[in-house]
């Protein structure tokens, strides 16, 4: 079994570290945030990620998973060094590599001979070369091993992946990285670093394109009177299309798709190719936010405009507490911008939680502690995140406490007949 240092304990780094220790490797995870490291040492996982707390607990108990402050202390004795630091979007749309470069320069002088540095963060095409240059160590191989982890199902995605991609010019280093995954049943693909980095961006941008296409089809369905649920079901039976990622919604978001789609457009532009298709994918998504917001605004009957809208869901999808680039927030910004008041509830966002104010300082809404508190006196109710608990709402109770009787289901989460039987007017997406 190998010794692995993980630099950065965000959801990618922490999941990678916990899963590698679960596979039997010796793992040390490093972060610059002392308070976070102290929490992790005590087995306290700071993010909502299914199954992760159990793996962290298991790793700490077995002595195979450790947390330290600072990259150097983690890297000085490890054979593999996974860089899992953020690559936020810079002002020009390109990814900001400063965290990656800082991490590489911090570990460069402590790396044991013949160790392997692995880029796990989503990094622009060519970054493996950048890291190698910053390291300045001819005895250390730099390999790309992009992650395909969805927030909320990151542990399952790591342990049962569709594929493992390794980008390396050094065959021996590639084989050593591949061996880390020997207990995982998945195709392992070895290619050059630039292709591995491109695979990551192309995958995210393709999935984002698929969603923009589906949302455009949903709009068409509304115009021609088709039911998008049936349309995507019929499309998904075709194995060339596949069933996944065909759910229409309020627009797509999260910390990866918007950033990576823009970054790929910028990478293409810098390389001399105008990837107009991606600009259109992004524009269709912005249109979807606008359209969803307009539906909500239209759902308020004239005469009830003084009353608030009840918004259910704030996170960018169910199963995570992540609010970054959330479609729900994008839509609510537009609704609030049109002069509406909003009371919102999300099971992963607590009332005294100030993350919303940090991530979206300009969003002026009230966060409440349960869906009925949001709905009390509401002119209209909207579902923006597909939390399962919203399917169990008591519509009789909602009918009593709401002033209006319109529901906008921007995730097609509900069976429309249920609210309709209770006297609500229901509008979904594309049906
Ligand atoms: C995404 C990719 O799916 C991962 O493979 C990738 O590793 C990750 O980005 C990353 O680059 O780190 P994630 O951002 O966690 O994962 O979220 P997704 O589950 O892909 O959802 C993205 C957005 O698409 C969400 O707003 C979600 O609600 C929306 N979506 C997804 C739909 O509207 N419909 C669908 O059918 C699926």
């Amino acid at each position: 079994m190998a010794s692995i240092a993980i630099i950065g304990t965000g959801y990618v780094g922490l999941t990678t570290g916990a899963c590698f220790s679960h596979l039997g490797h010796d793992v040390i995870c490093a972060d610059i945030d002392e308070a976070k490291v102290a929490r992790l040492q005590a087995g306290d996982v700071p993010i909502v990620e299914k199954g992760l707390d159990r793996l962290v607990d298991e790793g700490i108990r077995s002595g195979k998973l450790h947390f330290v402050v600072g990259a150097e202390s983690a890297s000085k004795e490890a054979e593999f060094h996974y860089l899992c630091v953020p690559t936020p979007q810079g002002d020009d749309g390109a990814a900001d590599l400063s965290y990656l470069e800082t991490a590489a320069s911090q570990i460069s002088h402590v790396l044991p001979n013949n160790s392997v540095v692995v880029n796990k963060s989503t990094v622009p095409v060519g970054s493996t070369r950048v890291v190698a240059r910053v390291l300045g160590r001819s005895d250390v191989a730099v390999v790309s091993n992009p992650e395909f982890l969805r927030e909320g199902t990151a542990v399952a995605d790591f342990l049962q992946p569709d594929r493992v991609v390794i980008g390396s010019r050094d065959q021996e280093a590639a084989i050593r990285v591949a061996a880390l995954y020997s207990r995982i049943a998945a195709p392992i693909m070895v290619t050059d670093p630039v292709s591995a980095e491109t695979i990551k961006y192309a995958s995210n941008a393709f999935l984002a394109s698929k969603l923009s296409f589906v949302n455009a089809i949903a709009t068409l369905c509304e115009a021609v009177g088709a039911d998008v649920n049936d349309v995507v079901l019929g499309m998904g039976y075709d194995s060339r299309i596949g069933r996944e990622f065909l759910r229409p919604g309020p627009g797509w978001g999260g910390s990866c798709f918007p950033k990576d789609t823009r970054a790929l457009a910028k990478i293409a532009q810098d390389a001399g190719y105008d990837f107009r298709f991606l600009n259109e994918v992004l524009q269709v998504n912005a249109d979807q936010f606008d359209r969803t917001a307009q539906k909500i605004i239209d759902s308020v009957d004239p005469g009830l405009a003084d009353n608030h809208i009840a918004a259910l869901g704030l996170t960018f999808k169910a199963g995570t507490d992540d609010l970054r680039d959330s479609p729900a927030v994008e839509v609510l910004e537009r609704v609030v911008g049109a002069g509406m008041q909003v009371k919102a509830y999300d099971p992963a966002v607590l009332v005294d939680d100030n993350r919303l104010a940090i991530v979206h300082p300009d969003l002026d809404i009230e966060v409440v502690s349960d869906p009925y508190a949001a709905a009390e006196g509401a002119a209209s109710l909207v579902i923006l995140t597909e939390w399962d608990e919203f399917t169990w709402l008591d519509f009789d109770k909602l009918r009593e406490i709401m002033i209006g009787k319109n529901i906008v289901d921007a995730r097609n989460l509900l069976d429309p007949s249920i609210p309709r039987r209770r006297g609500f007017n229901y509008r979904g997406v594309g049906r």
Side-chain angles (χ1 to χ4, degrees), residues 190-240:
V190 177
T191 180
D192 62 274
V194 169
S195 300
E197 290 159 350
T198 306
I199 287 169
K200 167 65 199 218
Y201 277 104
S203 301
N204 271 6
F206 181 81
L207 292 170
S209 309
K210 197 172 178 186
L211 292 176
S212 277
F213 182 84
V214 163
N215 286 333
I217 289 292
T219 304
L220 177 75
C221 287
E222 288 180 13
V224 299
D227 182 334
V228 75
N229 281 9
D230 284 352
V231 171
V232 297
L233 183 68
M235 288 167 63
Y237 280 124
D238 187 327
S239 59
R240 293 170 302 172

Side-chain angles (χ1 to χ4, degrees), residues 1 20-25 159 178-186 188:
M1 288 295 153
F20 272 144
S21 79
H22 176 70
L23 295 173
H25 301 300
L159 295 174
L180 298 176
Y181 295 90
S182 59
R183 290 183 58 197
I184 284 181
I188 296 184

Side-chain angles (χ1 to χ4, degrees), residues 94-168:
D96 170 1
L97 287 185
S98 54
Y99 292 98
L100 194 74
E101 289 174 320
T102 305
S105 74
Q106 279 170 349
I107 61 172
S108 61
H109 61 285
V110 298
L111 293 175
N113 273 343
N114 200 29
S115 54
V116 181
V117 172
V118 188
N119 269 349
K120 193 75 172 167
S121 313
T122 303
V123 288
V125 174
S127 299
T128 306
R129 239 174 284 143
V130 173
V131 170
R133 183 174 41 74
V134 174
L135 288 174
R137 292 273 306 259
S138 56
D139 61 322
V140 171
V142 184
V143 171
S144 165
N145 176 208
E147 53 86 10
F148 302 99
L149 309 175
R150 285 163 299 176
E151 289 187 32
T153 55
V155 170
D157 289 344
F158 190 99
L159 295 174
Q160 292 118 39
D162 288 336
R163 78 305 209 182
V164 173
V165 173
I166 297 168
S168 175

Side-chain angles (χ1 to χ4, degrees), residues 289-408:
F289 297 147
D290 290 345
R291 197 172 296 110
T292 308
Q294 194 57 50
K295 244 186 217 175
I296 297 169
I297 294 161
D298 293 345
S299 74
V300 174
D301 292 325
L304 296 182
D306 286 344
N307 300 91
H308 71 272
I309 285 165
L312 302 187
L314 288 168
T315 56
F316 83 94
K317 62 176 182 177
T320 175
D321 60 351
D322 200 336
L323 292 161
R324 288 173 295 170
D325 272 314
S326 169
V329 173
E330 285 281 351
V331 168
L332 291 179
E333 273 171 355
R334 287 159 171 78
V335 169
V336 171
M340 307 250 148
Q341 297 163 45
V342 174
K343 282 190 189 176
Y345 164 73
D346 187 295
V349 183
L350 304 176
V351 178
D352 56 2
D353 187 339
N354 64 355
R355 284 180 311 130
L356 193 63
I358 294 169
V359 182
H360 300 282
D362 300 329
L363 182 66
D364 185 15
I365 62 170
E366 186 183 342
V367 178
V368 295
S369 59
D370 79 85
Y372 303 102
E376 178 89 50
S380 162
L381 181 135
V382 50
I383 296 175
L384 288 166
T385 309
E386 72 283 22
W387 289 104
D388 189 47
E389 68 171 67
F390 300 152
T391 57
W392 304 105
L393 288 168
D394 178 343
F395 289 97
D396 288 325
K397 183 170 172 182
L398 287 175
R399 190 71 192 89
E400 270 169 37
I401 62 176
M402 281 175 60
I403 289 183
K405 52 179 182 167
N406 293 328
I407 291 181
V408 177

